[in-house]
Amino acid sequence: MVGIAEEIISRMVVASTPLFLATLGEIYTERSGVINLGVEGLFVLGASISFTATIITGDPYIALLATIVLGSVIGGIHGFVSTYLKGREILSGLAITLFAYGLASILGRPFVGLSLPTRINLANNYIYLLIINILLAILSWTILFKLKIGAIIRACGEDPSSAYVMGVDVDKVRLATTMLGSGIASLAGGIYTLGYIQVWTEGAGMGWGWIAIANVIVSLWNPILAPIFSLIYGGINSMIWLLQLPPYNISPYLLGTTPYLITLITLFIIVATPIKKYVKPPAALGIKFEREERTI
Amino acid sequence: MKLVVRRRFYKHTYLKIVLTVAAIGLTLLISMVILYLASNIPPEDFIYAVYMGLIDPSTLRYLIPLTLCGLGLTLPYKAGIWNIGSEGQLLSGAIIATYIALYIYPTDINPIIGIPLLLIASFMAGAATALVAGFLKARYNLNEILSTLMLNYIIIGLGNYLVYGPWRGATQYGYPRTDIIPSQLWITNIEILGIRINMTLIIIILASALALNYIIKHTRFGYDITVYGLNRDAAIYSGISPEKVIILTMLISGGLAGLAGAGEVLAIHRQLIRVQDVSAGYGYMAILVAWLSRMDPMATILSGYLVAALISTGYTLQILAGLTIGAVNLFIGGLLVLATALDFLLEYEVEIRW
């Protein structure tokens, strides 16, 4: 019984890590005022690239590095379109997701069914993983709320015109945080395949990015709160794994809907109960920064 | 050298067309390069696949669900309400149509009553799914992008549960699909000039396009939607009810997606199959359909054809080069991001000063 309990906890921590990382990245992006719906696609792309790159190079860490670089470059397209080109960021984010889905499918195609040469064993070291995640959350909170760089990022998301007057290049900061968030989302996808599911099939990791974007709201745009729902979600994932086995034998398709149902219900609780007074999205989230309007 | 960027006061129609064509051309070029580098597909094969996509009659088969969903999305997108849930709304329509045809109707149901009732029921199912998100948005200001996405996955899981579980057909040799619905309920193709066309669904598309065009251009509600989309605060001050705009645009878009789902079941599959085979992401691709048309219902038919041709291209490549159909997303996403990026030239004029 202790064995099963420990296995569930270790699965919970391991499963929560990709979601936590993707959420953390998106918090930086949204705090600077950009919504990045590309996180979903970049997660799936990261899952695919890290797998193929590990098989090609034999080194999972080089593969993860390549994943971060490619993810931030592709996410950078979204960043560029939604800052310098003033494009609709909902559309360009969705577009990046679809594009990345397609790329993930094309790049991973020759490697379906192959097995990883080396694995990153997270399950046995789950306690360290949990500590690292919590330290990352505290570090990100410090960066965003205690350091000057965080003040700059938040100024771009709250009041870009004032930030501009104070000498901040708003579009540059927003592009940088979008690339950062995208790179982290791809890394999260990579950790999902290399550390958690350890195989790759087409569509691996789909849906996690959406949950991460929801988790940003559930965490009230605060990195410190990001691990909470991530762990709950990780717990649901490990319960799903248990409940589709005997003696429960619940339909995996029905169980597959529970993460989304619970996310939707959690979002509902956040906006429909007194918690809603703590829901304060960055004031300029999704709003373009345009200098011309002041000079005309 | 210096770039001077100024906001345009007039958005020329010719520029919209030029930029859309440029976006399509660039997307095809980039996709060709990526497919050559990543999968070794020779450029001539790719060009052949695109050409086949444009002329192949099967393109009309994808045009129907894409255009129906895309038409629906013109209204919420014009109002700046991001319904991303066409996929789930389409599947709700498909599930309800199958359920009524198999389990509610007597087996000798008269198609003159039976088919219209099925279409109405699937419209209502799609609308109800969208209204869950619409209500949460109107009442609690819950982000509609996330709620519609979550509903997509919930309905996908539910549909697969049904075909793998309680609805698995007795005559289907254990495959995950329901029994075939009674043949008098099928919506059949007719042959015009050697091309098989589903006239019933094409007429529904034309009628919806005309109706939506009328709503947007000639009614008070259409005006409300446009104002709400352009400036939310001004709309509320001028007495436009945000709740009404949200609820009605979601209702209509969900309903049309639901109709598309009934069309897939009654005209193509004649049974409910695994949901990923009922809709290969049409609901997501419809976002591109609505956007390429600039939310003009009449132009949606044309953009529906273009996106359908991209899907056909994907299937041709699948046969030629062994790609999976997921690769189509490369074209769809590429085109959507380029169209969004090139909008910059529509909104701003760029002058180069030396």
Side-chain angles (χ1 to χ4, degrees), chain A:
Chain A
M1 215 44 220
V2 174
I4 285 194
E6 189 172 359
E7 175 139 19
I8 287 178
I9 291 170
S10 99
R11 274 181 166 260
M12 178 170 131
V13 173
V14 174
S16 77
T17 303
L19 181 67
F20 165 70
L21 287 175
T23 307
L24 205 58
E26 179 70 3
I27 287 177
Y28 280 103
T29 311
E30 292 201 9
R31 275 286 176 187
S32 78
V34 179
I35 303 166
N36 183 7
L37 295 185
V39 161
E40 159 72 9
L42 294 164
F43 189 99
V44 173
L45 182 63
S48 165
I49 291 178
S50 60
F51 185 76
T52 56
T54 307
I55 289 178
I56 292 171
T57 63
D59 185 338
Y61 298 99
I62 291 176
L64 284 178
L65 197 65
T67 305
I68 295 172
V69 171
L70 194 73
S72 51
V73 168
I74 292 178
I77 300 172
H78 169 69
F80 186 72
V81 172
S82 50
T83 56
Y84 290 96
L85 296 186
K86 323 274 180 235
R88 315 257 169 145
E89 55 196 74
I90 301 299
L91 289 171
S92 95
L94 277 171
I96 291 298
T97 286
L98 292 175
F99 182 79
Y101 275 176
L103 207 56
S105 149
I106 291 168
L107 293 176
R109 179 94 181 119
F111 300 89
V112 172
L114 298 182
S115 56
L116 287 170
T118 46
R119 290 176 179 186
I120 301 178
N121 197 337
L122 296 178
N124 289 355
N125 304 313
Y126 71 92
I127 292 171
Y128 301 109
L129 190 64
L130 186 64
I131 293 170
I132 290 172
N133 285 352
I134 289 170
L135 286 179
L136 270 176
I138 295 171
L139 177 71
S140 294
W141 179 82
T142 316
I143 290 175
L144 275 175
F145 294 97
K146 294 291 161 207
L147 298 186
K148 188 172 177 206
I149 177 87
I152 292 173
I153 292 173
R154 286 186 298 124
C156 293
E158 298 291 344
D159 189 350
S161 299
S162 303
Y164 173 69
V165 172
M166 300 297 287
V168 176
D169 186 339
V170 175
D171 283 341
K172 197 192 257 176
V173 171
R174 287 181 167 184
L175 176 60
T177 56
T178 308
M179 290 182 74
L180 175 74
S182 303
I184 299 179
S186 301
L187 170 70
I191 288 176
Y192 174 74
T193 28
L194 300 185
Y196 182 47
I197 59 170
Q198 303 186 330
V199 287
W200 188 83
T201 51
E202 179 152 4
M206 277 190 188
W208 283 65
W210 302 135
I211 307 260
I213 294 165
N215 192 11
V216 173
I217 300 177
V218 174
S219 311
L220 310 171
W221 289 268
N222 188 343
I224 285 271
L225 301 176
I228 299 172
F229 186 75
S230 306
L231 281 169
I232 295 174
Y233 181 80
I236 297 167
N237 257 287
S238 42
M239 290 309 284
I240 285 174
W241 152 80
L242 201 69
L243 288 175
Q244 54 193 339
L245 301 173
Y248 308 101
N249 289 324
I250 300 176
S251 157
Y253 302 101
L254 220 46
L255 285 173
T257 65
T258 46
Y260 303 100
L261 201 59
I262 286 172
T263 306
L264 189 58
I265 292 169
T266 312
L267 282 172
F268 176 74
I269 292 171
I270 296 276
V271 296
T273 61
I275 302 174
K276 71 167 178 269
K277 65 173 178 281
Y278 300 104
V279 182
K280 290 197 194 85
L285 182 59
I287 295 168
K288 303 279 164 267
F289 170 59
E290 304 201 52
R291 267 173 303 181
E292 299 95 319
E293 284 187 1
R294 302 187 312 117
T295 51
I296 281 172

Side-chain angles (χ1 to χ4, degrees), chain B residues 53-77:
Chain B
L54 285 170
I55 59 158
D56 197 88
S58 73
T59 299
L60 286 175
R61 177 251 172 280
Y62 306 117
L63 176 142
I64 290 170
L66 285 173
T67 312
L68 269 175
C69 293
L71 277 172
L73 292 179
T74 55
L75 286 187
Y77 287 8

